């Protein structure tokens, strides 16, 4: 789906080689993560309201109660996290900024990657290099392409020090198979790189047939001394309106020093959680039964919608890897290029504008994720398919057959109709 040549050399993810004219869809105004599309859990809203009257600020890195919840969260996932080796921050971007600053050097990321990864390094004046992903998944760099990129960057006088990858990917919605993940991390560690594992979507693997063969591991389980795991709670725990994230550092002296350095940066930049957000984060990370039950329902709903959207894309002549986690799919409409070109759609920014207008929902182009601007790729999210009102979204969550609800079927039919029109015109032009 994403053909690339590892021998083409390191590709800068900070604007180099871009074919999109200046000012058209700059990545610095890139899209947020796919939204849940669901009302806030009432218990979470109650916790936020109760904490709104607190007069004292939260300490940088998180208060003891929050850090205890963070340690419990990681430990339940097989990653021991002692005192001094976890921190919390007001969102994934401030946390990654602090990590990138603490580690220094050039940053390597898979192509495509989440829109919020590369800007942190660019802001610090550090270079970012994109590495092609394997054919079967996104989220991790192809190990051979990674080794070649590191070699060429160093030959050009660069200083690659860290690589960011994900165990459940935005934008592709895929989960790297354990052997593919292991090869990528092994290659990075072998070159002396520090690995930042973005585990934002680790709690959202789709249930049912589409996720039957999905096995999710953390690189911190494979190479515990060289990996820092981070998660943005907007992935599966809190709404984007309550930004919070946490990190778990290696159980080594180096891990403790890195945690201290990150805490220094969070303190210096004033990246402190608001008290109501900290209370909400503490509540959901302790994972009471109502929170886990709601998360399971939401994950199943988004999984069903992602599978339906995937079927619609394939039937309409597009390409997409099967979604395995999260609230999104990554669509390649290269087979429909002739029909799109007749509408003036020739690159990913054009495609973003076209589909966003026709579908009535955000459809960010692949260039926003560091992908080739000339390619016709977009990320489609499942949140807008749930409905346009809180009542419709709640009905989608509680329905036994959500795909049969009129408001859900209407949104899916929009996707089908737009692609069928393009596909039909493409077949006519081939005759």
């Amino acid at each position: 789906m994403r053909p690339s040549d590892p021998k083409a050399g390191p590709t800068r993810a900070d604007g180099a080689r871009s074919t999109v004219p200046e000012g058209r869809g700059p990545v610095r105004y890139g899209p947020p993560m796919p939204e849940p599309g669901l009302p806030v859990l009432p218990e979470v809203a109650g916790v936020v309201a109760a904490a709104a009257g607190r007069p004292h600020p939260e300490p940088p890195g998180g208060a003891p109660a929050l850090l205890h919840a963070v340690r419990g969260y990681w430990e339940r996932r097989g990653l021991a996290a002692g005192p001094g080796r976890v921190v919390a921050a007001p969102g994934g971007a401030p946390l990654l900024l602090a990590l990138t600053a603490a580690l220094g050097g050039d940053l390597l990321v898979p192509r495509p990657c989440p829109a919020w990864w590369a800007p942190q390094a660019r802001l610090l004046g550090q270079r970012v290099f994109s590495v092609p992903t394997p054919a079967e998944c996104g989220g991790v760099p192809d190990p051979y392409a990674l080794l070649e990129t590191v070699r060429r960057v160093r030959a050009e006088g660069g200083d690659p020090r860290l690589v960011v990858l994900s165990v459940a990917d935005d934008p592709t919605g895929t989960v790297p198979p354990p052997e593919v993940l292991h090869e990528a991390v092994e290659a990075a560690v072998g070159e002396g790189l520090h690995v930042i594992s973005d585990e934002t979507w680790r709690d959202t693997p789709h249930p049912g047939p589409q996720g039957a063969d999905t096995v999710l591991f953390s690189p911190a389980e494979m190479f515990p001394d060289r990996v820092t795991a981070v998660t943005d709670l907007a992935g599966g725990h809190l709404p984007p309106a309550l930004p919070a994230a946490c990190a778990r550092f290696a159980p080594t002296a180096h891990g403790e020093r890195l945690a201290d350095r990150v805490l220094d940066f969070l303190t210096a930049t004033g990246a402190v959680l608001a008290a109501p957000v900290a209370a909400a984060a503490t509540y959901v990370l302790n994972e009471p039964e109502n929170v886990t039950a709601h998360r399971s329902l939401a994950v199943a709903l988004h999984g069903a919608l992602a599978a339906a959207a995937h079927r619609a894309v394939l039937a309409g002549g597009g390409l997409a890897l099967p979604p395995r986690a999260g609230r999104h799919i990554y669509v390649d409409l290269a087979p429909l290029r002739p029909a799109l070109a007749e509408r003036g759609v020739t690159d990913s920014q054009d495609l973003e504008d076209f589909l966003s207008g026709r579908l009535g929902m955000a459809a960010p182009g692949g260039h926003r994720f560091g992908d080739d601007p000339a390619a016709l790729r977009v990320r489609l999210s499942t949140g807008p398919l749930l409905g346009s009102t809180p009542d419709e979204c709640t009905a989608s969550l509680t329905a036994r057959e959500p795909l049969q609800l009129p408001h859900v079927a209407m949104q899916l039919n929009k996707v089908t109709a737009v692609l069928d029109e393009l596909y039909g015109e493409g077949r006519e032009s081939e005759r």
Side-chain angles (χ1 to χ4, degrees), residues 34-106:
E35 295 188 9
L38 294 168
V40 178
L41 195 65
E43 292 87 347
V44 173
V47 168
V48 171
R54 292 182 186 176
H56 304 295
E58 293 289 304
L66 174 55
L67 297 182
H68 177 76
V70 171
R71 288 195 298 271
Y73 171 84
W74 291 115
E75 288 169 359
R76 286 189 294 275
R77 286 150 181 82
L79 301 177
R85 293 187 175 88
V86 294
V87 300
L95 181 56
L96 185 58
L97 177 67
L99 266 167
T100 306
L103 289 163
D106 297 330

Side-chain angles (χ1 to χ4, degrees), residues 109-165:
V109 297
R111 183 173 67 241
C113 73
W116 58 277
W117 283 5
Q120 319 308 320
R122 291 202 298 269
L123 186 64
L124 295 166
Q126 297 169 212
R127 298 188 300 173
V128 182
F129 295 92
S130 291
V131 184
T133 55
E136 65 266 41
C137 66
V140 298
D142 176 89
Y144 299 103
L146 175 66
L147 294 173
E148 179 66 9
T149 300
V150 170
R151 184 190 70 80
R152 294 196 182 192
V153 171
R154 286 174 175 159
E156 295 172 2
D159 182 23
R161 294 190 197 176
L162 65 154
V163 59
V164 186
L165 49 79

